[in-house]
Amino acid sequence: MNTADAAIETIHREMTAFARRARASAGRLHPELSLVSYTLLGHLEDVGGCRATDLAAHYALDKSTVSRQVSALERAGLVERRTDPQDQRVQVLHLTPAGMEILAQVTASRRVAFRERLAGWPEEDLRQFAGYLLRYNAAGGTRRVTAAAGD
Amino acid sequence: MNTADAAIETIHREMTAFARRARASAGRLHPELSLVSYTLLGHLEDVGGCRATDLAAHYALDKSTVSRQVSALERAGLVERRTDPQDQRVQVLHLTPAGMEILAQVTASRRVAFRERLAGWPEEDLRQFAGYLLRYNAAGGTRRVTAAAGD
DNA sequence: CTGTTCTGGTTGCATAGTACAACTAGTAGT
DNA sequence: ACTACTAGTTGTACTATGCAACCAGAACAG
């Protein structure tokens, strides 16, 4: 096995390990904002508003799932829907001030944990690692959910 | 927020996105073996047999959850329980030949999916990405189901 | 021994998250 | 106008999960 294959093996194993831990501990840290909700809010903040369909594509979720999640977030007053004047079907989602507030709180408390975990990493490595993850997820992310998605 | 914090945010978000997709596509690709079941089988193979309680501790799952998962795996003929003669309460779990077979199949197909997804990455990037993931997962240790784990 | 406490495991119940399919409504192409 | 497509919602079913109550065996104190 060459070096590239070995690296792929490692990526496979480590990503899977992470996935299983994420699964095991999901939702325990911030009961007030589930993992799903948090990531959806985070994405909204990142891109500054997008459609439900975009969220579904990014997280490889069914549109019905996103629809329900968004409904819950709206009921909680964390996001608002603005119908796109250009296309009546589309509801552009935006964080509300309350949504930004909660997102900031959870982010702050969680950053402590992540800082600890990533303590000692040179900033350059952090940036590069983030870049790789973006690239990996983008490879199949916004488009069709193909075999390799997260597996 | 400085660039290191921004990178940490991105790392968390993208790792989470990955975890979510992993779970979704694992279910679609291998309906016969969920991500959880897969990791449980993998662990059994790794350690060569252990108790349900050990699995629960290792993955920070409730013992009831493990109990049910193991029941399903047993019904599917992938694991077998051997009552410990030293302690009648204990059921030592072992992979059956069928379990090993399926585990090998799923592992192989996941590896293929990974290769496809990472096709076109320069070898140097693969190497570095793998290194970052190792470092990240190692930071939390095999066990330490606290904050940073996956959430 | 006997009673109490501990431990491994199962089961009843409630909940979250999810997919799929059927549906509504709005848009675009011919 | 007719058709095909797209965004989103709702009905339904299923899985994974945790918690609490429980059972059975083990360990230990007297």
Short mmCIF file of all heavy atoms in Angstrom, two decimals, chain C residues 1 3 5-9 11-12 15-16 20-24 26 28-29:
data_model
loop_
_atom_site.label_atom_id
_atom_site.label_comp_id
_atom_site.label_asym_id
_atom_site.label_seq_id
_atom_site.Cartn_x
_atom_site.Cartn_y
_atom_site.Cartn_z
P DC C 1 -23.64 -22.12 55.06
OP1 DC C 1 -23.83 -23.33 55.83
OP2 DC C 1 -22.83 -21.87 53.88
"O5'" DC C 1 -25.00 -21.36 54.72
"C5'" DC C 1 -26.23 -21.69 55.12
"C4'" DC C 1 -26.72 -20.70 56.17
"O4'" DC C 1 -25.63 -19.94 56.74
"C3'" DC C 1 -27.73 -19.69 55.65
"O3'" DC C 1 -28.77 -19.58 56.59
"C2'" DC C 1 -26.91 -18.40 55.53
"C1'" DC C 1 -25.90 -18.55 56.65
N1 DC C 1 -24.60 -17.85 56.40
C2 DC C 1 -24.33 -16.63 57.04
O2 DC C 1 -25.18 -16.14 57.81
N3 DC C 1 -23.16 -16.00 56.82
C4 DC C 1 -22.26 -16.55 56.00
N4 DC C 1 -21.10 -15.89 55.80
C5 DC C 1 -22.50 -17.77 55.34
C6 DC C 1 -23.68 -18.38 55.56
P DG C 3 -32.79 -13.27 56.17
OP1 DG C 3 -33.82 -13.44 57.20
OP2 DG C 3 -32.98 -13.86 54.82
"O5'" DG C 3 -32.51 -11.71 56.01
"C5'" DG C 3 -31.94 -11.00 57.10
"C4'" DG C 3 -31.06 -9.87 56.59
"O4'" DG C 3 -29.87 -10.40 55.98
"C3'" DG C 3 -31.74 -8.99 55.52
"O3'" DG C 3 -31.49 -7.64 55.86
"C2'" DG C 3 -31.04 -9.40 54.23
"C1'" DG C 3 -29.65 -9.76 54.73
N9 DG C 3 -28.91 -10.69 53.88
C8 DG C 3 -29.36 -11.87 53.34
N7 DG C 3 -28.46 -12.51 52.65
C5 DG C 3 -27.34 -11.69 52.71
C6 DG C 3 -26.06 -11.85 52.14
O6 DG C 3 -25.63 -12.78 51.45
N1 DG C 3 -25.21 -10.78 52.47
C2 DG C 3 -25.57 -9.70 53.23
N2 DG C 3 -24.64 -8.78 53.43
N3 DG C 3 -26.78 -9.53 53.77
C4 DG C 3 -27.61 -10.56 53.47
P DT C 5 -28.67 -1.55 52.42
OP1 DT C 5 -28.44 -0.37 53.27
OP2 DT C 5 -29.97 -1.76 51.75
"O5'" DT C 5 -27.52 -1.58 51.32
"C5'" DT C 5 -26.18 -1.86 51.73
"C4'" DT C 5 -25.35 -2.31 50.53
"O4'" DT C 5 -25.71 -3.65 50.12
"C3'" DT C 5 -25.54 -1.42 49.30
"O3'" DT C 5 -24.24 -1.06 48.83
"C2'" DT C 5 -26.29 -2.31 48.32
"C1'" DT C 5 -25.75 -3.68 48.72
N1 DT C 5 -26.58 -4.84 48.30
C2 DT C 5 -25.95 -5.89 47.67
O2 DT C 5 -24.77 -5.91 47.42
N3 DT C 5 -26.78 -6.94 47.34
C4 DT C 5 -28.14 -7.02 47.56
O4 DT C 5 -28.78 -8.02 47.21
C5 DT C 5 -28.74 -5.89 48.22
C7 DT C 5 -30.21 -5.88 48.52
C6 DT C 5 -27.94 -4.86 48.56
P DC C 6 -24.08 0.08 47.74
OP1 DC C 6 -22.99 0.96 48.20
OP2 DC C 6 -25.41 0.63 47.37
"O5'" DC C 6 -23.54 -0.75 46.49
"C5'" DC C 6 -22.38 -1.57 46.69
"C4'" DC C 6 -22.23 -2.53 45.53
"O4'" DC C 6 -23.29 -3.51 45.57
"C3'" DC C 6 -22.31 -1.86 44.16
"O3'" DC C 6 -21.14 -2.19 43.44
"C2'" DC C 6 -23.57 -2.46 43.53
"C1'" DC C 6 -23.69 -3.80 44.26
N1 DC C 6 -25.06 -4.37 44.31
C2 DC C 6 -25.28 -5.65 43.82
O2 DC C 6 -24.34 -6.28 43.33
N3 DC C 6 -26.54 -6.17 43.87
C4 DC C 6 -27.54 -5.46 44.41
N4 DC C 6 -28.74 -6.03 44.45
C5 DC C 6 -27.32 -4.16 44.93
C6 DC C 6 -26.08 -3.64 44.86
P DT C 7 -20.83 -1.48 42.05
OP1 DT C 7 -19.38 -1.30 41.97
OP2 DT C 7 -21.78 -0.36 41.87
"O5'" DT C 7 -21.24 -2.61 41.01
"C5'" DT C 7 -20.74 -3.92 41.18
"C4'" DT C 7 -21.28 -4.81 40.07
"O4'" DT C 7 -22.62 -5.25 40.40
"C3'" DT C 7 -21.40 -4.10 38.72
"O3'" DT C 7 -20.93 -5.00 37.74
"C2'" DT C 7 -22.89 -3.84 38.58
"C1'" DT C 7 -23.47 -5.04 39.31
N1 DT C 7 -24.83 -4.85 39.87
C2 DT C 7 -25.72 -5.88 39.76
O2 DT C 7 -25.45 -6.93 39.22
N3 DT C 7 -26.95 -5.64 40.32
C4 DT C 7 -27.36 -4.49 40.96
O4 DT C 7 -28.49 -4.39 41.42
C5 DT C 7 -26.37 -3.44 41.04
C7 DT C 7 -26.72 -2.14 41.71
C6 DT C 7 -25.16 -3.67 40.50
P DG C 8 -20.67 -4.50 36.27
OP1 DG C 8 -19.31 -4.92 35.90
OP2 DG C 8 -21.09 -3.09 36.15
"O5'" DG C 8 -21.71 -5.40 35.48
"C5'" DG C 8 -21.50 -6.81 35.43
"C4'" DG C 8 -22.60 -7.43 34.62
"O4'" DG C 8 -23.84 -7.29 35.35
"C3'" DG C 8 -22.83 -6.79 33.25
"O3'" DG C 8 -22.96 -7.81 32.29
"C2'" DG C 8 -24.10 -5.98 33.43
"C1'" DG C 8 -24.84 -6.74 34.52
N9 DG C 8 -25.68 -5.92 35.38
C8 DG C 8 -25.36 -4.71 35.93
N7 DG C 8 -26.31 -4.21 36.68
C5 DG C 8 -27.32 -5.17 36.62
C6 DG C 8 -28.61 -5.18 37.23
O6 DG C 8 -29.11 -4.34 37.97
N1 DG C 8 -29.31 -6.34 36.91
C2 DG C 8 -28.85 -7.35 36.11
N2 DG C 8 -29.67 -8.38 35.92
N3 DG C 8 -27.64 -7.34 35.53
C4 DG C 8 -26.95 -6.22 35.83
P DG C 9 -23.23 -7.45 30.79
OP1 DG C 9 -22.79 -8.59 29.98
OP2 DG C 9 -22.71 -6.10 30.54
"O5'" DG C 9 -24.82 -7.41 30.71
"C5'" DG C 9 -25.55 -8.60 31.04
"C4'" DG C 9 -27.03 -8.32 31.08
"O4'" DG C 9 -27.33 -7.44 32.17
"C3'" DG C 9 -27.62 -7.64 29.84
"O3'" DG C 9 -28.41 -8.60 29.15
"C2'" DG C 9 -28.46 -6.50 30.39
"C1'" DG C 9 -28.55 -6.80 31.87
N9 DG C 9 -28.66 -5.61 32.71
C8 DG C 9 -27.72 -4.62 32.90
N7 DG C 9 -28.11 -3.68 33.72
C5 DG C 9 -29.39 -4.07 34.08
C6 DG C 9 -30.33 -3.44 34.94
O6 DG C 9 -30.20 -2.38 35.57
N1 DG C 9 -31.51 -4.16 35.03
C2 DG C 9 -31.76 -5.34 34.39
N2 DG C 9 -32.95 -5.89 34.59
N3 DG C 9 -30.90 -5.95 33.59
C4 DG C 9 -29.74 -5.25 33.47
P DT C 11 -35.96 -8.45 27.39
OP1 DT C 11 -36.69 -9.73 27.37
OP2 DT C 11 -35.32 -7.92 26.18
"O5'" DT C 11 -36.94 -7.34 27.97
"C5'" DT C 11 -37.48 -7.51 29.28
"C4'" DT C 11 -38.34 -6.30 29.64
"O4'" DT C 11 -37.51 -5.22 30.11
"C3'" DT C 11 -39.17 -5.72 28.49
"O3'" DT C 11 -40.44 -5.40 29.01
"C2'" DT C 11 -38.40 -4.47 28.10
"C1'" DT C 11 -37.88 -4.03 29.46
N1 DT C 11 -36.68 -3.16 29.45
C2 DT C 11 -36.63 -2.12 30.33
O2 DT C 11 -37.51 -1.86 31.11
N3 DT C 11 -35.48 -1.38 30.26
C4 DT C 11 -34.41 -1.58 29.42
O4 DT C 11 -33.42 -0.86 29.46
C5 DT C 11 -34.53 -2.69 28.50
C7 DT C 11 -33.42 -2.98 27.54
C6 DT C 11 -35.65 -3.41 28.56
P DG C 12 -41.66 -5.06 28.07
OP1 DG C 12 -42.72 -6.05 28.35
OP2 DG C 12 -41.15 -4.87 26.70
"O5'" DG C 12 -42.13 -3.65 28.64
"C5'" DG C 12 -42.37 -3.49 30.05
"C4'" DG C 12 -42.68 -2.04 30.36
"O4'" DG C 12 -41.46 -1.27 30.44
"C3'" DG C 12 -43.56 -1.33 29.32
"O3'" DG C 12 -44.43 -0.44 29.99
"C2'" DG C 12 -42.53 -0.59 28.47
"C1'" DG C 12 -41.48 -0.21 29.50
N9 DG C 12 -40.13 -0.08 28.98
C8 DG C 12 -39.50 -0.94 28.10
N7 DG C 12 -38.27 -0.58 27.83
C5 DG C 12 -38.08 0.58 28.55
C6 DG C 12 -36.95 1.42 28.65
O6 DG C 12 -35.85 1.29 28.10
N1 DG C 12 -37.17 2.50 29.50
C2 DG C 12 -38.35 2.74 30.16
N2 DG C 12 -38.39 3.82 30.93
N3 DG C 12 -39.42 1.96 30.09
C4 DG C 12 -39.21 0.90 29.26
P DT C 15 -42.96 12.58 25.85
OP1 DT C 15 -43.15 13.80 26.62
OP2 DT C 15 -44.01 12.06 24.95
"O5'" DT C 15 -41.63 12.74 24.98
"C5'" DT C 15 -40.38 12.84 25.64
"C4'" DT C 15 -39.28 12.85 24.61
"O4'" DT C 15 -39.02 11.50 24.17
"C3'" DT C 15 -39.63 13.64 23.35
"O3'" DT C 15 -38.61 14.61 23.15
"C2'" DT C 15 -39.65 12.61 22.24
"C1'" DT C 15 -38.72 11.53 22.79
N1 DT C 15 -38.98 10.19 22.23
C2 DT C 15 -37.93 9.48 21.69
O2 DT C 15 -36.79 9.90 21.66
N3 DT C 15 -38.27 8.26 21.19
C4 DT C 15 -39.53 7.69 21.16
O4 DT C 15 -39.70 6.58 20.68
C5 DT C 15 -40.58 8.49 21.73
C7 DT C 15 -41.98 7.97 21.75
C6 DT C 15 -40.27 9.68 22.23
P DA C 16 -38.78 15.70 22.03
OP1 DA C 16 -38.65 17.02 22.67
OP2 DA C 16 -39.99 15.36 21.23
"O5'" DA C 16 -37.51 15.46 21.11
"C5'" DA C 16 -36.27 15.16 21.73
"C4'" DA C 16 -35.30 14.66 20.67
"O4'" DA C 16 -35.64 13.31 20.31
"C3'" DA C 16 -35.31 15.49 19.38
"O3'" DA C 16 -33.97 15.66 18.98
"C2'" DA C 16 -36.12 14.62 18.41
"C1'" DA C 16 -35.83 13.20 18.91
N9 DA C 16 -36.92 12.24 18.73
C8 DA C 16 -38.21 12.39 19.11
N7 DA C 16 -38.97 11.34 18.84
C5 DA C 16 -38.09 10.45 18.26
C6 DA C 16 -38.26 9.15 17.77
N6 DA C 16 -39.44 8.50 17.77
N1 DA C 16 -37.19 8.53 17.25
C2 DA C 16 -36.01 9.18 17.25
N3 DA C 16 -35.72 10.39 17.70
C4 DA C 16 -36.82 10.98 18.19
P DC C 20 -34.95 7.81 1.76
OP1 DC C 20 -34.19 6.62 1.31
OP2 DC C 20 -34.59 9.15 1.29
"O5'" DC C 20 -36.49 7.56 1.40
"C5'" DC C 20 -37.16 6.47 2.01
"C4'" DC C 20 -38.66 6.61 1.79
"O4'" DC C 20 -39.20 7.53 2.75
"C3'" DC C 20 -39.03 7.16 0.41
"O3'" DC C 20 -40.01 6.30 -0.14
"C2'" DC C 20 -39.58 8.55 0.71
"C1'" DC C 20 -40.13 8.36 2.11
N1 DC C 20 -40.25 9.62 2.93
C2 DC C 20 -41.41 9.83 3.69
O2 DC C 20 -42.30 8.98 3.65
N3 DC C 20 -41.52 10.96 4.44
C4 DC C 20 -40.52 11.84 4.44
N4 DC C 20 -40.66 12.92 5.20
C5 DC C 20 -39.33 11.65 3.67
C6 DC C 20 -39.24 10.53 2.94
P DA C 21 -40.39 6.41 -1.69
OP1 DA C 21 -40.19 5.07 -2.27
OP2 DA C 21 -39.74 7.60 -2.30
"O5'" DA C 21 -41.96 6.71 -1.62
"C5'" DA C 21 -42.70 6.23 -0.51
"C4'" DA C 21 -43.99 7.01 -0.38
"O4'" DA C 21 -43.78 8.16 0.48
"C3'" DA C 21 -44.50 7.56 -1.71
"O3'" DA C 21 -45.91 7.50 -1.71
"C2'" DA C 21 -44.02 9.01 -1.68
"C1'" DA C 21 -44.21 9.33 -0.20
N9 DA C 21 -43.41 10.45 0.29
C8 DA C 21 -42.12 10.76 -0.04
N7 DA C 21 -41.67 11.84 0.57
C5 DA C 21 -42.73 12.25 1.35
C6 DA C 21 -42.89 13.33 2.23
N6 DA C 21 -41.94 14.22 2.49
N1 DA C 21 -44.09 13.45 2.85
C2 DA C 21 -45.04 12.57 2.60
N3 DA C 21 -45.02 11.51 1.78
C4 DA C 21 -43.81 11.40 1.19
P DA C 22 -46.72 7.59 -3.08
OP1 DA C 22 -47.38 6.28 -3.27
OP2 DA C 22 -45.83 8.15 -4.12
"O5'" DA C 22 -47.84 8.67 -2.74
"C5'" DA C 22 -48.49 8.61 -1.47
"C4'" DA C 22 -49.01 10.00 -1.11
"O4'" DA C 22 -47.91 10.82 -0.64
"C3'" DA C 22 -49.63 10.75 -2.30
"O3'" DA C 22 -50.87 11.29 -1.90
"C2'" DA C 22 -48.61 11.85 -2.60
"C1'" DA C 22 -48.03 12.10 -1.22
N9 DA C 22 -46.70 12.72 -1.23
C8 DA C 22 -45.63 12.36 -2.01
N7 DA C 22 -44.57 13.11 -1.81
C5 DA C 22 -44.96 14.01 -0.84
C6 DA C 22 -44.30 15.05 -0.18
N6 DA C 22 -43.03 15.39 -0.43
N1 DA C 22 -44.99 15.75 0.75
C2 DA C 22 -46.26 15.42 0.99
N3 DA C 22 -47.00 14.45 0.44
C4 DA C 22 -46.27 13.77 -0.47
P DC C 23 -51.82 11.95 -2.99
OP1 DC C 23 -53.22 11.65 -2.59
OP2 DC C 23 -51.32 11.62 -4.34
"O5'" DC C 23 -51.57 13.51 -2.72
"C5'" DC C 23 -51.93 14.06 -1.47
"C4'" DC C 23 -51.27 15.40 -1.27
"O4'" DC C 23 -49.84 15.26 -1.32
"C3'" DC C 23 -51.57 16.46 -2.33
"O3'" DC C 23 -52.70 17.23 -1.92
"C2'" DC C 23 -50.31 17.31 -2.35
"C1'" DC C 23 -49.33 16.57 -1.47
N1 DC C 23 -47.97 16.50 -2.07
C2 DC C 23 -47.01 17.41 -1.63
O2 DC C 23 -47.32 18.24 -0.77
N3 DC C 23 -45.76 17.37 -2.17
C4 DC C 23 -45.48 16.46 -3.10
N4 DC C 23 -44.24 16.46 -3.59
C5 DC C 23 -46.44 15.52 -3.56
C6 DC C 23 -47.67 15.58 -3.03
P DT C 24 -53.25 18.32 -2.97
OP1 DT C 24 -54.66 18.52 -2.59
OP2 DT C 24 -52.85 17.93 -4.34
"O5'" DT C 24 -52.44 19.63 -2.59
"C5'" DT C 24 -52.41 20.09 -1.22
"C4'" DT C 24 -51.60 21.37 -1.16
"O4'" DT C 24 -50.21 21.06 -1.42
"C3'" DT C 24 -52.01 22.42 -2.19
"O3'" DT C 24 -52.07 23.70 -1.57
"C2'" DT C 24 -50.89 22.35 -3.23
"C1'" DT C 24 -49.70 21.95 -2.37
N1 DT C 24 -48.62 21.24 -3.09
C2 DT C 24 -47.33 21.69 -2.99
O2 DT C 24 -47.03 22.67 -2.33
N3 DT C 24 -46.41 20.96 -3.68
C4 DT C 24 -46.65 19.85 -4.46
O4 DT C 24 -45.74 19.28 -5.05
C5 DT C 24 -48.02 19.43 -4.54
C7 DT C 24 -48.40 18.24 -5.36
C6 DT C 24 -48.93 20.14 -3.86
P DG C 26 -49.07 30.05 -4.43
OP1 DG C 26 -49.14 31.05 -3.36
OP2 DG C 26 -50.20 29.84 -5.37
"O5'" DG C 26 -47.77 30.40 -5.29
"C5'" DG C 26 -46.52 30.42 -4.60
"C4'" DG C 26 -45.44 30.04 -5.58
"O4'" DG C 26 -45.65 28.68 -6.01
"C3'" DG C 26 -45.41 30.89 -6.85
"O3'" DG C 26 -44.11 31.44 -6.98
"C2'" DG C 26 -45.72 29.91 -7.97
"C1'" DG C 26 -45.25 28.60 -7.36
N9 DG C 26 -45.83 27.40 -7.93
C8 DG C 26 -47.15 26.99 -7.89
N7 DG C 26 -47.35 25.85 -8.50
C5 DG C 26 -46.09 25.47 -8.96
C6 DG C 26 -45.70 24.32 -9.69
O6 DG C 26 -46.40 23.38 -10.08
N1 DG C 26 -44.34 24.33 -9.95
C2 DG C 26 -43.47 25.33 -9.57
N2 DG C 26 -42.19 25.17 -9.92
N3 DG C 26 -43.82 26.41 -8.89
C4 DG C 26 -45.15 26.42 -8.62
P DA C 28 -39.16 31.67 -12.81
OP1 DA C 28 -37.80 32.09 -12.44
OP2 DA C 28 -40.18 32.66 -13.20
"O5'" DA C 28 -39.06 30.58 -13.97
"C5'" DA C 28 -38.37 29.35 -13.70
"C4'" DA C 28 -38.46 28.44 -14.91
"O4'" DA C 28 -39.76 27.79 -14.95
"C3'" DA C 28 -38.31 29.16 -16.24
"O3'" DA C 28 -37.52 28.34 -17.10
"C2'" DA C 28 -39.74 29.28 -16.76
"C1'" DA C 28 -40.34 27.98 -16.22
N9 DA C 28 -41.77 28.01 -16.01
C8 DA C 28 -42.53 29.02 -15.47
N7 DA C 28 -43.80 28.74 -15.40
C5 DA C 28 -43.90 27.47 -15.93
C6 DA C 28 -45.00 26.61 -16.14
N6 DA C 28 -46.24 26.92 -15.81
N1 DA C 28 -44.75 25.40 -16.70
C2 DA C 28 -43.49 25.08 -17.02
N3 DA C 28 -42.37 25.81 -16.87
C4 DA C 28 -42.65 27.00 -16.32
P DG C 29 -36.98 28.88 -18.42
OP1 DG C 29 -35.51 28.79 -18.36
OP2 DG C 29 -37.64 30.17 -18.74
"O5'" DG C 29 -37.52 27.77 -19.43
"C5'" DG C 29 -37.42 26.38 -19.07
"C4'" DG C 29 -38.18 25.54 -20.06
"O4'" DG C 29 -39.59 25.59 -19.76
"C3'" DG C 29 -38.05 26.00 -21.50
"O3'" DG C 29 -38.06 24.86 -22.35
"C2'" DG C 29 -39.29 26.84 -21.72
"C1'" DG C 29 -40.31 26.08 -20.87
N9 DG C 29 -41.41 26.88 -20.37
C8 DG C 29 -41.36 28.17 -19.86
N7 DG C 29 -42.51 28.61 -19.46
C5 DG C 29 -43.39 27.57 -19.72
C6 DG C 29 -44.80 27.46 -19.51
O6 DG C 29 -45.55 28.29 -19.01
N1 DG C 29 -45.28 26.22 -19.93
C2 DG C 29 -44.52 25.22 -20.48
N2 DG C 29 -45.16 24.11 -20.81
N3 DG C 29 -43.21 25.30 -20.68
C4 DG C 29 -42.72 26.50 -20.28
#
